[in-house]
Amino acid sequence: MSDDMLRAPAEVKYAEELDWLESIDDGPKPFSWRLSPRMIRLFILGSERSDGLDREIPQKWFGDRSFVERSIVTLASDRGLLLIGDPGTGKSWLAELLSAAISRNSTLVVQGTAGTTEDHIKYSWNVSMVIAKGQSRQSMIPSPIMTAMERGVIGRFEELTRSTSDVQDALISILSEKYVSIPELDDDNIVFAQPGFSIIATANSRDRGVNDLSSALKRRFNFVRIPVVTNKKSEAEIVRFRTEELLRRHRIELDLPPTLLDILLQSFADLRSAAAAATSDDEKMESALSTAEQIGVLEDAILHSHFFGDRTLRAQTLAGSLVGSLARRSPEDLAILNKYWHGVVEPRSKKAGGEWPEFLEGGREAIATLS
């Protein structure tokens, strides 16, 4: 079934694995949860030999286990969960995995934007049915959040801080009262949340000041801050995991040379250090230089090599993809990259050799093309 989708949700992608875990799960389950908290943690973080399972469960989210445990405990309470952190730290992926493991449905999602309205988190109306038969529960279109309430499952709200204060205020009522009133109806005009309902929201820490959360809304959430991955080994595992998924999706047979992955990781680490030492915004890349952006750079390089190259990933292609992906402002970003290539990549290529000279040349060509 997942082969028929461009991107299958976690509950479809890992359906067989979730079925197996459910069949052996004898732990206590809150509400109507499909898996116990221990099995949810195992599903997300992967199994260990000490778990004594008959099969290996691969790790799907890479981060501190305490973040996962606190998230699960929060959802077992009557509070919402807010995952907050920089772009590319895996907040949405963790939210999806939690929803899939708890409810076997991660698709009840509201995407927060400046255009998100109260209707998107409560309900709207089928205009043609209202004209024909009047307002009724049949002519009402429930939002994903209301659907989650009625089913007693997890609802998700992406990019909460991008929504206006009116939308955030409407969410306060849902989190506090656990019901939605429908004043347009005389009968059957309240939707109560069923046991198991909760909300997982995500927020970008870089959006501070866009639409700050009110203190009232903050009190309805438990905050779990997801830090940027700084451990090189963990970051390499994340990039490799996501890249292998990409290769399987596109049915591409292409080796990822460890030396090129090291170059990519080192380049991002260097650029992050330069950004941290910068004294003004003009000296910083517009890019967040996140793990997700590393994956994007590698994805671009792999697809370019597959469709326009000799189906071998080369340092020159990787350099071109890095420059093309990160140079969003001209001339500021190009100036930063040019300085990095001359001040760091050039001396390193002379000292370390290997793939670095080709990476140096590829970056120079890309910068010259875009300048």
Side-chain angles (χ1 to χ4, degrees):
M1 182 177 178
S2 61
D3 291 339
D4 298 330
M5 304 178 190
L6 180 62
R7 182 194 176 279
E11 63 271 16
V12 174
K13 182 176 182 178
Y14 301 112
E16 190 271 334
E17 188 177 298
L18 287 165
D19 287 339
W20 185 80
L21 289 173
E22 194 171 342
S23 70
I24 66 167
D25 189 4
D26 57 1
K29 304 178 184 68
F31 312 116
S32 56
W33 286 22
R34 300 289 294 269
L35 291 176
S36 66
R38 286 185 178 274
M39 280 296 181
I40 294 170
R41 183 185 65 185
L42 189 148
F43 169 70
I44 294 172
L45 296 177
S47 60
E48 299 176 354
R49 185 171 297 179
S50 59
D51 294 317
L53 299 181
D54 294 334
R55 60 180 284 181
E56 180 183 1
I57 303 299
Q59 186 172 3
K60 301 167 188 67
W61 187 80
F62 296 83
D64 194 296
R65 67 187 297 138
S66 65
F67 302 143
V68 176
E69 291 174 354
R70 178 167 166 76
S71 299
I72 295 170
V73 169
T74 295
L75 294 171
S77 71
D78 62 349
R79 298 174 66 81
L81 170 65
L82 179 61
L83 302 174
I84 187 167
D86 283 354
T89 49
K91 303 181 297 296
S92 297
W93 179 231
L94 177 57
E96 182 176 339
L97 290 170
L98 287 165
S99 301
I102 291 171
S103 307
R104 295 296 288 266
N105 188 345
S106 65
T107 61
L108 297 173
V109 185
V110 173
Q111 182 66 49
T113 67
T116 303
T117 66
E118 191 173 333
D119 292 351
H120 290 111
I121 63 171
K122 288 187 174 180
Y123 59 89
S124 57
W125 298 97
N126 184 319
V127 177
S128 60
M129 288 186 66
V130 170
I131 293 172
K133 300 181 179 180
Q135 290 177 321
S136 65
R137 287 297 295 270
Q138 288 70 40
S139 60
M140 190 177 73
I141 304 172
S143 71
I145 298 297
M146 181 179 279
T147 300
M149 294 175 69
E150 292 180 299
R151 297 179 184 176
V153 297
I154 302 295
R156 294 169 52 203
F157 199 120
E158 290 288 313
E159 305 292 354
L160 180 59
T161 48
R162 290 190 174 276
S163 300
T164 62
S165 57
D166 291 344
V167 174
Q168 294 182 19
D169 288 345
L171 199 59
I172 292 175
S173 174
I174 292 174
L175 289 167
S176 299
E177 309 301 333
K178 301 294 192 294
Y179 67 80
V180 173
S181 297
I182 310 170
E184 295 92 339
L185 302 182
D186 295 327
D187 301 312
D188 195 17
N189 58 1
I190 298 179
V191 174
F192 292 95
Q194 298 300 304
F197 166 71
S198 192
I199 291 177
I200 304 176
T202 64
N204 186 343
S205 55
R206 292 198 172 205
D207 285 340
R208 185 174 298 168
V210 176
N211 287 297
D212 288 334
L213 301 182
S214 67
S215 57
L217 186 55
K218 288 179 180 178
R219 288 196 300 272
R220 271 70 179 183
F221 281 109
N222 273 354
F223 283 54
V224 175
R225 296 189 175 275
I226 310 296
V228 174
V229 178
T230 55
N231 181 279
K232 191 174 180 180
K233 181 180 178 182
S234 297
E235 193 164 42
E237 289 175 340
I238 296 170
V239 175
R240 190 178 292 109
F241 173 77
R242 287 298 196 180
T243 304
E244 288 172 354
E245 282 190 332
L246 166 75
L247 294 173
R248 284 195 298 270
R249 187 192 313 160
H250 289 279
R251 296 182 175 88
I252 295 175
E253 294 184 5
L254 186 147
D255 291 331
L256 175 59
T259 52
L260 292 186
L261 181 57
D262 287 341
I263 287 176
L264 178 64
L265 294 169
Q266 186 62 57
S267 298
F268 267 73
D270 293 337
L271 290 168
R272 286 171 186 160
S273 296
T279 57
S280 70
D281 289 341
D282 287 342
E283 297 176 349
K284 297 179 181 179
M285 301 287 297
E286 185 176 273
S287 163
L289 299 171
S290 65
T291 304
E293 285 171 311
Q294 287 191 64
I295 296 167
V297 169
L298 193 54
E299 177 180 1
D300 182 87
I302 287 173
L303 293 176
H304 194 279
S305 300
H306 180 72
F307 293 117
F308 299 109
D310 57 3
R311 300 191 179 185
T312 301
L313 182 60
R314 302 190 184 281
Q316 187 170 3
T317 306
L318 182 65
S321 295
L322 190 150
V323 172
S325 298
L326 298 187
R328 299 172 182 174
R329 299 176 303 172
S330 181
E332 293 90 349
D333 285 346
L334 283 173
I336 294 169
L337 289 169
N338 189 51
K339 181 180 178 181
Y340 170 64
W341 242 262
H342 283 286
V344 178
V345 177
E346 185 172 346
R348 184 175 288 149
S349 68
K350 294 177 180 177
K351 183 178 180 180
E355 304 277 5
W356 281 99
E358 187 179 339
F359 184 74
L360 171 67
E361 188 59 31
R364 281 176 171 171
E365 290 178 3
I367 292 170
T369 300
L370 294 173
S371 296

